[in-house]
Amino acid sequence: MKFLDKMEKRLGFFAVPNVMLTLIAAQLFIYAMILMGRVELSALLLIPKAVLGGEWWRLFSFLIAPPHLAGTLFQALFLAFFWYILWMMSQTLEAAWGLTRFNLYLLLSVLFAVAGAFLGQLVSPSTTLFVLPKFLFYATFLAYATVNPNTQFLIMFVIPMKVKWLAWITVAFGCITFLSLPSIGHRIAFIAPYLCYALFFKDALKQSLEARQRRAKFEAERRQAADAPLHTCTQCGATDKSAPEQDFRYKIVDSEAVCVCKDCRESSQAPA
């Protein structure tokens, strides 16, 4: 985290207030331009081959491209809900982290996305890779789920579910998608934007794992202590677990307390 702290201090002057709201507004404007036929979505996407061919604006324009184009009313409602959730999560993270740190998180996600796209294209030159800004939603969602794991969302506006479980489901589907991609280059471009999450939360995830291990160890020791006998006869080995009907008593032998069960006491007291 020292690296992030240094970056935060150096870049604090350039932090943009409501940066996600600004991006969403730009995406809405571009979406309107696409609907009016003024702009082609394909002209905005980050395509490494096109950038190397001279279309340098794609390094920036892909950020203001809408995540997808709605073909039905339901898809349009989903897109509006997508933007609303993205704005809500960004506001929460900005309040929790501060303006500069949230800007830095988004900036690193974008830089990793661009680097991953070019590296993936280099690794798989026969394919044509492209990047949409959807990764900003998922990177923000993972950060939000880590900072506020117990917040509840209503799935289909009906089913309540904690956001941490939604995050695990998202990660599971992401792993399936990652494994199903056709080339190593696609996989590099797919996973690269989320390196910012690993960079920001590696310490928190490590501490969480260590805390779980400590809890598991404590529970194992507690169960072991609960299962262990409280009294064990030093003569016959009977315990309060194996022979709960026995009466165990202690006597002092050579300054030590020695446990003896009822049967052993009676046998030792019986006349020869």
Side-chain angles (χ1 to χ4, degrees), residues 113-130:
V114 173
F118 279 90
L119 179 60
Q121 189 66 74
L122 180 64
V123 172
S124 301
S126 61
T127 63
T128 300
L129 298 178
F130 66 90

Side-chain angles (χ1 to χ4, degrees), residues 10-267:
R10 292 179 180 179
L11 299 177
F13 180 79
F14 300 98
V16 180
N18 295 312
V19 61
M20 190 61 76
L21 183 61
T22 303
L23 283 176
I24 292 173
Q27 291 179 4
L28 280 167
F29 176 76
I30 295 299
Y31 189 82
M33 292 295 101
I34 292 173
L35 292 180
M36 290 188 293
R38 301 291 183 86
V39 177
E40 291 281 344
L41 177 61
S42 60
L44 302 173
L45 304 182
L46 175 58
I47 304 176
K49 286 185 177 180
V51 174
L52 295 175
E55 298 179 8
W56 55 267
W57 64 84
R58 293 178 181 272
L59 291 171
F60 309 98
S61 63
F62 78 105
L63 293 174
I64 59 174
H68 68 268
L69 299 179
T72 64
L73 178 60
F74 178 78
Q75 290 178 350
L77 290 174
F78 177 82
L79 183 57
F81 185 69
F82 175 94
W83 275 321
Y84 169 74
I85 293 295
L86 179 58
W87 171 78
M88 182 271 294
M89 293 188 301
S90 67
Q91 290 294 102
T92 302
L93 288 175
E94 192 172 304
W97 282 350
L99 177 63
T100 305
R101 181 157 291 234
F102 181 61
N103 272 245
L104 180 59
Y105 181 78
L106 294 180
L107 176 61
L108 288 176
S109 181
V110 171
L111 292 178
F112 281 133
V114 173
F118 279 90
L119 179 60
Q121 189 66 74
L122 180 64
V123 172
S124 301
S126 61
T127 63
T128 300
L129 298 178
F130 66 90
V131 178
L132 284 166
K134 282 185 179 180
F135 68 88
L136 286 175
F137 175 86
Y138 292 110
T140 304
F141 175 69
L142 290 176
Y144 178 86
T146 305
V147 174
N148 302 279
N150 294 317
T151 301
Q152 284 192 342
F153 283 175
L154 290 178
I155 308 303
M156 304 300 292
F157 303 100
V158 176
I159 305 171
M161 182 176 290
K162 289 185 177 180
V163 70
K164 62 182 178 181
W165 303 125
L166 288 174
W168 280 114
I169 293 172
T170 301
V171 170
F173 277 104
C175 291
I176 294 173
T177 302
F178 176 82
L179 295 174
S180 64
L181 290 173
S183 70
I184 296 177
H186 283 88
R187 293 174 182 175
I188 293 174
F190 177 84
I191 201 67
Y194 307 109
L195 294 178
C196 68
Y197 175 84
L199 184 62
F200 266 69
F201 291 100
K202 63 178 182 179
D203 292 338
L205 294 176
K206 181 181 178 181
Q207 292 173 2
S208 177
L209 179 60
E210 290 175 348
R212 290 187 180 186
Q213 291 175 343
R214 287 195 299 268
R215 284 197 298 269
K217 182 180 179 181
F218 172 78
E219 287 296 323
E221 292 176 349
R222 186 185 63 81
R223 287 193 297 268
Q224 184 178 3
D227 294 338
L230 184 60
H231 307 291
T232 302
C233 179
T234 55
Q235 296 183 17
C236 68
T239 68
D240 56 319
K241 298 290 185 181
S242 61
E245 74 284 353
Q246 284 284 10
D247 178 28
F248 295 89
R249 296 190 181 181
Y250 288 81
K251 63 180 181 179
I252 302 300
V253 178
D254 295 332
S255 301
E256 292 186 3
V258 176
C259 180
V260 183
C261 67
K262 181 180 178 181
D263 290 345
C264 291
R265 291 198 307 272
E266 292 176 348
S267 63

